[in-house]
Amino acid sequence: MTKPLRKAVLPVAGLGTRFLPATKAMAKEMLPVVDKPLIQYAVEEARAAGIQQFCLITGRGKTAIVEHFDIAYELEATLRMRHKEAELRMLREAQLPPGAMVTVRQQEPMGLGHAIWCARAFVGDDPFAILLPDDLVLSETPCTQQLAEAYYQTGGCVVAVTEVPRDQTNRYGILDIGADDGRLVEVKGLVEKPKPEDAPSNLSIIGRYVLRPEVMQYLGMLERGAGGEVQLTDAMAKLIGQVPFHGLRYEGRRFDCGDKIGFLEAQIAFALKRPEMAAQVHAFLKNYV
Ligand code: UTP
């Protein structure tokens, strides 16, 4: 029987060096797109897919993220006194039920695979989603929901994939593909950051996954891969052949908000989706550019 997908792991322990100096004293995941921090987009997307339990993998300097999901009594009292009902509602909507979020500290940033392994007690024997908050997906159906549907359909691991330019394969986890119906792709192999000449395809994994818990036993070997880091891609590759493993060409557009250009593009795209500001932003862009 396919177990229901109720858990998500959100790794936020990276150093965010591409965003220095902004990330010197502030977590990258708290950077706002329009008016909402990246981490909140990720949590909302997961909740829309039926996820109820969250594990944040944190590191030094990330306490603001934990604060963000706590109740802010004094702020709420002040807002109430000033009759700021809309703002109060906004805070409440972002609130998680008590006990829905736990945090685990990754003491050293040894790579994404190591960060995920830190959640092994939380994951237990259950399937789980992974959302990298710096990847933001603008779509009709939330990306994690699309993955969850594919997980229920296949019963195995599903990763969100997109085509990248051939000369950029050395930045991503790349698929070696089998059967392909144009949407769901059978994964025959996975390689982390291959050189363009060695890349088996140009289909790349983005920061959305639904994995079976068996991946933890391979992560636990703590083998170092590309860049000397414990790579999630390497552990996932070991699952191929044991459980169904697919890539999903999700509907939507991904913005890499860990990168300056991607972050700026996301600001514009998300602002243009907001009815109260779209016209003004559009007019500004037209005149300014
Ligand atoms: P990135 O590759 O974006 O690394 O990590 P980073 O450190 O956050 O940013 P740069 O490259 O220095 O600018 C992808 C995801 O994996 C998490 C990050 O928080 C991010 O969500 N991560 C990475 C960890 O949690 N731990 C690690 O050891 C490495």
Side-chain angles (χ1 to χ4, degrees):
M1 195 195 73
T2 306
K3 279 193 170 184
L5 180 67
R6 295 283 177 258
K7 295 181 177 176
V9 177
L10 285 78
V12 295
L15 298 177
T17 54
R18 284 171 292 163
F19 251 108
L20 284 169
T23 48
K24 185 181 170 196
M26 191 182 91
K28 171 173 72 172
E29 298 77 11
M30 287 304 292
L31 291 172
V33 168
V34 185
D35 54 4
K36 208 191 285 181
L38 290 171
I39 189 72
Q40 192 175 333
Y41 283 99
V43 167
E44 287 178 2
E45 181 187 314
R47 290 182 89 185
I51 305 274
Q52 296 168 350
Q53 292 165 265
F54 294 86
C55 181
L56 292 182
I57 311 298
T58 68
R60 225 168 317 132
K62 304 283 180 170
T63 39
I65 301 177
V66 181
E67 294 287 336
H68 185 73
F69 290 100
D70 200 357
I71 294 181
Y73 285 108
E74 287 165 7
L75 175 61
E76 287 196 15
T78 309
L79 292 176
R80 215 170 293 121
M81 226 162 56
R82 296 186 185 172
H83 306 291
K84 301 254 181 199
E85 300 303 330
E87 288 79 359
L88 263 175
R89 244 193 333 272
M90 197 190 294
L91 290 187
R92 296 242 174 82
E93 276 165 18
Q95 193 108 50
L96 292 169
M101 181 176 273
V102 299
T103 62
V104 172
R105 194 98 163 184
Q106 183 191 22
Q107 291 124 322
E108 279 178 276
M110 285 166 60
L112 177 60
H114 180 258
I116 302 301
W117 179 69
C118 290
R120 61 198 180 283
F122 167 81
V123 165
D125 290 327
D126 295 317
F128 63 106
I130 300 172
L131 293 91
L132 307 190
D134 43 5
D135 261 346
L136 205 52
V137 185
L138 189 59
S139 56
E140 290 295 318
T141 306
C143 187
T144 301
Q145 192 178 326
Q146 298 179 44
L147 285 183
E149 283 162 12
Y151 160 74
Y152 288 119
Q153 184 187 335
T154 64
C157 296
V158 192
V159 293
V161 297
T162 189
E163 254 102 24
V164 294
R166 263 276 163 191
D167 61 356
Q168 290 179 14
T169 56
N170 57 353
R171 296 203 217 155
Y172 303 101
I174 299 290
L175 270 60
D176 185 4
I177 59 181
D180 181 355
D181 72 4
R183 187 174 157 273
L184 215 50
V185 189
E186 186 196 347
V187 181
K188 282 202 319 193
L190 291 167
V191 202
E192 185 63 29
K193 302 188 174 60
K195 290 190 203 134
E197 59 271 29
D198 301 330
S201 77
N202 67 336
L203 258 194
S204 136
I205 307 176
I206 70 153
R208 298 287 185 277
Y209 314 68
V210 172
L211 299 182
R212 298 236 312 221
E214 293 90 332
V215 74
M216 288 295 178
Q217 73 202 49
Y218 296 113
L219 286 173
M221 293 174 182
L222 300 181
E223 285 170 7
R224 304 276 183 152
E229 296 193 329
V230 180
Q231 295 289 353
L232 177 61
T233 304
D234 297 342
M236 291 193 304
K238 296 199 171 98
L239 276 182
I240 297 165
Q242 296 186 36
V243 300
F245 209 122
H246 293 85
L248 177 74
R249 287 195 184 85
Y250 57 95
E251 164 276 310
R253 177 161 179 162
R254 183 269 302 249
F255 297 92
D256 177 5
C257 293
D259 171 81
K260 294 182 199 52
I261 297 293
F263 183 67
L264 290 173
E265 287 173 352
Q267 301 288 353
I268 296 167
F270 278 72
L272 288 172
K273 280 276 167 197
R274 296 275 286 262
E276 76 279 18
M277 61 178 74
Q280 256 176 294
V281 175
H282 196 271
F284 168 76
L285 288 172
K286 212 169 145 208
N287 295 332
Y288 194 78
V289 182

